[in-house]
Amino acid sequence: MSQSSFTTYMQQQAKEKSCFVPYIMAGANGLDRLQAEIDLLSEYGATAIEIGIPFSDPVADGPVIQQAGIQARAHGTTFKTIIQQLQQLNTEVPLILMGYANSFFHYGFQALLEALKETNVKALIIPDLPFEHRDLVIPLLTTADIALITLISLTSPLSRINTLTKAADGFVYAVTVNGVTGKGSDFSEGLDTHLQAVAQISPIPVLAGFGIRSAADVKRFSRICGGVVVGSAIVAALDQSLIEAEQMLQSLGLEKKKGS
């Protein structure tokens, strides 16, 4: 499988510094604030930004992101209004759409990929799309130069990790807990060894995600992996205000880019 331009971008970024990929729920605070949220994350050095699509049954999400999805839906946010908003946005940071398979198939992949040409979306994360069924979408994504991010769980044996990383595109999303997002720093004893094994096997950057909420977490996983994904902690702060979110980013040890 040919790799996307997003893979090349992530490889270059990972060589220069630890990657930081924040997650936000589109529309949780109204879609009209999405540009400001993306601008803030960009100012603090986001390598790419995950844009969550609200869904009624988000099986991988903990209470914070579930609540954000409920708020987004209460604001009238739909997949189509998110895409329309993304078409109006101005950002140089690559965007990643994260949502559940039903949302994508209901929208229609061909229609979606056509609409995404007018956005800066460079990758998709669909956590409930089985690896064995990815061929339903890979040919379309390859033509559109959009990566499908692979997730690897703590329970994946080495043989499975080998299979998954060989076919991976963009970056490998290494899940750090057995469970849902935002569980906090109750990480298992063998986690570092597991992440080291994934990072050694993977030909593309590995980013650790789920439950990362402190500067210590960021430092720990950035030493082992190519970087981190931070979701619930940022979503919770954004629910308070943009100022609260900025303080949260600073608490992760992130600094504002010069000139921002």
Side-chain angles (χ1 to χ4, degrees):
M1 189 188 82
S2 61
Q3 288 186 327
S4 64
S5 57
F6 184 60
T7 302
T8 308
Y9 167 79
M10 290 299 294
Q11 287 172 322
Q12 287 169 345
Q13 292 293 308
K15 277 179 192 167
E16 292 170 19
K17 57 176 184 173
S18 174
C19 294
F20 164 57
V21 177
Y23 167 98
I24 56 178
M25 175 62 74
N29 307 291
L31 280 177
D32 54 350
R33 210 181 80 174
L34 192 57
Q35 178 77 62
E37 293 175 358
I38 287 172
D39 288 346
L40 174 64
L41 296 169
S42 303
E43 286 168 6
Y44 278 84
T47 312
I49 299 171
E50 287 183 34
I51 308 291
I53 309 298
F55 185 58
S56 56
D57 301 286
V59 292
D61 296 324
V64 171
I65 293 177
Q66 280 187 31
Q67 183 56 39
I70 290 167
Q71 286 174 207
R73 286 156 64 87
H75 283 300
T77 307
T78 67
F79 203 160
K80 284 195 174 172
T81 61
I82 291 167
I83 300 303
Q84 286 164 2
Q85 193 71 17
L86 293 180
Q87 288 172 335
Q88 309 301 318
L89 284 180
N90 179 25
T91 179
E92 291 180 11
V93 176
L95 304 177
I96 303 164
L97 283 182
M98 180 166 183
Y100 293 88
N102 187 278
S103 300
F104 288 95
F105 284 107
H106 184 262
Y107 194 109
F109 270 91
Q110 281 181 315
L112 176 63
L113 295 174
E114 191 59 39
L116 292 183
K117 287 178 183 176
E118 297 174 53
T119 73
N120 206 31
V121 171
K122 301 297 181 188
L124 308 179
I125 299 176
I126 312 175
D128 59 338
L129 180 67
F131 177 78
E132 286 71 19
H133 294 160
R134 66 205 300 276
D135 286 344
L136 290 169
V137 300
I138 285 295
L140 292 169
L141 296 182
T142 302
T143 302
D145 192 28
I146 288 183
L148 181 65
I149 307 297
T150 297
L151 286 92
I152 290 181
S153 75
L154 285 174
T155 56
S156 301
L158 277 178
S159 58
R160 180 70 169 173
I161 292 169
N162 263 310
T163 302
L164 294 173
T165 55
K166 267 182 198 163
D169 200 8
F171 63 87
V172 170
Y173 193 139
V175 177
T176 57
V177 295
N178 285 324
V180 296
T181 58
K183 284 185 75 174
S185 304
D186 190 17
F187 299 117
S188 66
E189 225 173 87
L191 176 58
D192 290 23
T193 306
H194 165 79
L195 292 174
Q196 280 165 349
V198 177
Q200 279 176 348
I201 292 168
S202 176
I204 63 175
V206 174
L207 272 61
F210 280 39
I212 295 170
R213 55 180 60 250
S214 69
D217 292 342
V218 172
K219 273 184 188 167
R220 172 185 174 179
F221 296 122
S222 293
R223 275 198 298 266
I224 305 166
C225 301
V228 294
V229 178
V230 183
S232 295
I234 290 172
V235 171
L238 282 169
D239 186 49
Q240 301 301 310
S241 68
L242 288 166
I243 293 169
E244 187 83 18
E246 183 162 15
Q247 290 169 347
M248 200 280 141
L249 294 168
Q250 290 168 355
S251 78
L252 292 174
L254 300 168
E255 293 178 5
K256 209 169 189 177
K257 289 195 298 190
K258 285 172 185 168
S260 292

